[in-house]
Amino acid sequence: MKKFGSLLAVSLLSGAVTLGAYKFFLEPNNSGKLTLASPNYAKNVNLGAENIDFTAAAENTVHAVVHVKNVSVSKVPSNPLMEFFYGYQGSREQTQIGTGSGVIITEDGYIVTNNHVIQDATELEVTLNNNKSYKAKLVGTDSKMDVALLKVEADEKLPYVVFGDSDAIKVGEWVLAVGNPYNLNSTVTAGIVSAKARNLSNNGIQSFIQTDAAVNPGNSGGALVNTRGELVGINTMISSPTGSYAGYSFAVPSNLTRKIIEDLMQFGNVQRGVLGIEGRELNSSYSKELGVKETQGIYVNLVTKNSGAEKAGLTKGDIIIQLDDKKITGFAELTGYINTKRPNDVIQVTVLRDGKQRTLPVKLTKKEILNYEFNGIEFEDLDTADKKQFNLKEGIKIKKVNNPEYAEYNDILDGAVILSIDGIKAKDMETVSSYLAKKENQKARYQIISKNGQMYSIIM
């Protein structure tokens, strides 16, 4: 459970013991291909629940939502007292079983679920609504967006859901949540879309659909569908002081989920394109501080070297208000839209500059080739060799120091790995750049490990 404040908690919806291709096809046969629903122009958002028939959407969806069982094996001390007092290292294997939900998205057995549902699994099994069970293979995951792709080999065509357009759903529109809360298989609940582009992370990279459809532990990885039975989200978290449903739930939008799944199918990993800017959301107080009239949008504080944004002419002081035809009021909307794109995709970025509106075509850049600079220090993500050398799973590295003020530290800083900044874990470039953008050239305390393995704490 992740706590926000003293009361609010965001709970992953899997069982309590869980350890935690680029084209759309409309053919009836969807083996290995994701099916996109046709646009629908008849909205029902003004109708009350008594005027809407939920039965067809529920009937179609329950057969495509599966129960996911995660079996994991870990080693635990066989005698904790002996280990505590005498350092005895004996251990035994302990099997844990966690449960969640998943959604069949192709007739030949591709299933989308949450990363946290299948994390650390040594064995995965899915059970359909007709009680048939299959061993599942993990195809790939995206831990940042909490999405995972599984595959089962069935001797028959499986029922599946089609992808709807999550950008097209409206606040107030009716949706159904389908999953297996508390192992109650094929449970359907109804609610409305409470909000869109909801960000619950500190780094601003997530963009959830918020609903008031009742979901609980075990719903993780289940379907959020509209009244036509089209997939508009993957249920992921709840806001609760207790860990059980308390009125709000959150889903990964289907457009983002679809892009991740297509990447995993086609490339084996997630292709991330970046705009190449750092900035802050505007609000009344920050706008007043900057002396600008606008109170919505992203104020650009920095443009990353060699990025598409720099090449397109974005500059510090620009206010991003729109990407293509999507209005941008905050980071959740900006990152939510960018995350549905790939490197080399071109998007039209509309900015306000000196009170005038202009639109610039920006080619998204591959994240791995960019460097981020703050106070004259260039950073980059760790590569595979770095992770092996420092025995780390994540982190960022100091690539170059351009600020003469820190010349005395050059031998220490060159090639060093940053572990934390102001006590915040330096997981990756997105986390670090989002945090440093808010400091606006103020100094920070870096906990680093040098190339020779020495630990240092330096203020820069």
Side-chain angles (χ1 to χ4, degrees):
M1 180 183 298
K2 301 178 183 177
K3 295 185 178 178
F4 292 85
S6 59
L7 294 177
L8 180 65
V10 176
S11 302
L12 299 178
L13 304 178
S14 58
V17 296
T18 301
L19 294 179
Y22 183 50
K23 293 181 180 179
F24 307 133
F25 296 84
L26 301 178
E27 297 92 335
N29 184 332
N30 89 324
S31 297
K33 306 167 185 176
L34 306 186
T35 304
L36 182 65
S38 300
N40 180 77
Y41 301 103
K43 291 294 182 181
N44 56 28
V45 294
N46 295 322
L47 299 178
E50 67 278 5
N51 296 318
I52 301 175
D53 185 357
F54 296 97
T55 58
E59 175 67 17
N60 292 335
T61 307
V62 293
H63 297 297
V65 172
V66 300
H67 184 271
V68 179
K69 184 170 75 171
N70 169 349
V71 179
S72 58
V73 179
S74 59
K75 290 188 176 182
V76 297
S78 57
N79 191 326
L81 288 178
M82 289 286 287
E83 181 170 342
F84 180 78
F85 287 108
Y86 304 108
Y88 175 69
Q89 296 297 313
S91 62
R92 58 186 174 84
E93 289 189 344
Q94 176 176 286
T95 301
Q96 293 180 298
I97 297 177
T99 60
S101 303
V103 185
I104 304 173
I105 53 175
T106 67
E107 63 185 14
D108 58 342
Y110 281 100
I111 297 169
V112 63
T113 184
N114 287 142
N115 178 68
H116 74 264
V117 169
I118 54 82
Q119 190 170 348
D120 299 325
T122 54
E123 182 181 321
L124 290 167
E125 181 182 89
V126 300
T127 302
L128 278 62
N129 193 46
N130 62 7
N131 292 327
K132 287 188 176 181
S133 295
Y134 300 92
K135 297 296 182 183
K137 178 182 70 174
L138 178 62
V139 177
T141 67
D142 182 356
S143 59
K144 291 182 183 297
M145 300 303 164
D146 201 14
V147 172
L149 180 64
L150 310 179
K151 181 70 167 63
V152 298
E153 299 299 333
D155 54 5
E156 59 185 335
K157 292 182 179 180
L158 299 179
Y160 62 93
V161 294
V162 299
F163 278 86
D165 183 0
S166 55
D167 286 342
I169 63 171
K170 296 182 180 295
V171 173
E173 183 172 344
W174 285 99
V175 287
L176 302 180
V178 185
N180 305 286
Y182 300 119
N183 286 323
L184 298 172
N185 292 353
S186 305
T187 296
V188 180
T189 56
I192 63 168
V193 175
S194 305
K196 296 174 64 177
R198 184 69 79 195
N199 176 34
L200 302 178
S201 66
N202 293 324
N203 53 24
I205 66 171
Q206 295 175 325
S207 181
F208 293 109
I209 297 170
Q210 178 182 327
T211 79
D212 65 355
V215 296
N216 277 292
N219 271 111
S220 273
L224 185 72
V225 300
N226 57 26
T227 55
R228 299 179 297 281
E230 300 161 359
L231 187 69
V232 294
I234 299 296
N235 296 314
T236 301
M237 292 189 288
I238 56 177
S239 284
S240 170
T242 63
S244 296
Y245 177 71
Y248 302 102
S249 58
F250 301 90
V252 181
S254 62
N255 287 3
L256 174 56
T257 302
R258 190 176 71 244
K259 185 265 181 185
I260 292 170
I261 294 307
E262 289 168 345
D263 281 355
L264 293 175
M265 285 181 172
Q266 186 173 348
F267 306 106
N269 54 50
V270 180
Q271 305 290 298
R272 298 194 190 281
V274 296
L275 192 61
I277 63 101
E278 298 296 333
R280 282 182 60 179
E281 292 183 8
L282 291 177
N283 55 39
S284 294
S285 59
Y286 188 48
S287 296
K288 184 177 181 180
E289 179 184 330
L290 293 171
V292 298
K293 296 179 180 179
E294 292 72 23
T295 56
Q296 290 185 321
I298 304 298
Y299 182 85
V300 177
N301 284 320
L302 179 145
V303 178
T304 308
K305 289 182 179 179
N306 301 318
S307 67
E310 182 188 55
K311 294 174 182 177
L314 268 73
T315 63
K316 180 177 181 178
D318 285 346
I319 299 173
I320 299 175
I321 59 172
Q322 188 167 305
L323 299 180
D324 291 334
D325 58 355
K326 184 176 181 63
K327 185 178 180 182
I328 301 299
T329 61
F331 264 116
E333 289 157 330
L334 184 142
T335 56
Y337 188 75
I338 294 294
N339 284 334
T340 64
K341 304 297 180 181
R342 296 182 176 85
N344 297 320
D345 284 352
V346 176
I347 61 175
Q348 302 298 318
V349 180
T350 302
V351 301
L352 292 175
R353 181 184 298 174
D354 300 326
K356 296 180 180 179
Q357 185 171 303
R358 62 180 65 191
T359 300
L360 304 171
V362 178
K363 179 184 286 189
L364 300 183
T365 316
K366 195 170 185 178
K367 180 173 73 77
E368 289 77 7
I369 68 174
L370 291 182
N371 298 329
Y372 176 76
E373 184 172 341
F374 180 79
N375 280 355
I377 305 170
E378 292 185 24
F379 309 111
E380 63 182 357
D381 277 319
L382 294 182
D383 59 24
T384 303
D386 295 325
K387 291 177 181 178
K388 185 175 181 180
Q389 176 186 346
F390 291 97
N391 194 26
L392 295 171
K393 293 183 178 179
E394 55 191 12
I396 65 170
K397 185 171 70 174
I398 296 176
K399 182 178 182 180
K400 188 177 181 182
V401 179
N402 301 315
N403 192 333
E405 181 181 349
Y406 309 126
E408 59 182 300
Y409 300 129
N410 277 352
D411 291 341
I412 296 174
L413 296 177
D414 183 35
V417 172
I418 299 174
L419 302 176
S420 67
I421 301 177
D422 291 340
I424 297 174
K425 189 176 180 181
K427 296 175 62 177
D428 51 34
M429 290 283 290
E430 289 171 319
T431 303
V432 168
S433 61
S434 295
Y435 173 73
L436 291 178
K438 300 173 184 177
K439 295 187 72 70
E440 296 182 2
N441 298 321
Q442 301 175 38
K443 291 189 176 182
R445 180 178 291 276
Y446 295 78
Q447 192 77 24
I448 68 170
I449 180 169
S450 66
K451 286 189 296 186
N452 61 9
Q454 296 295 311
M455 298 280 292
Y456 296 90
S457 181
I458 299 175
I459 296 177
M460 297 185 291

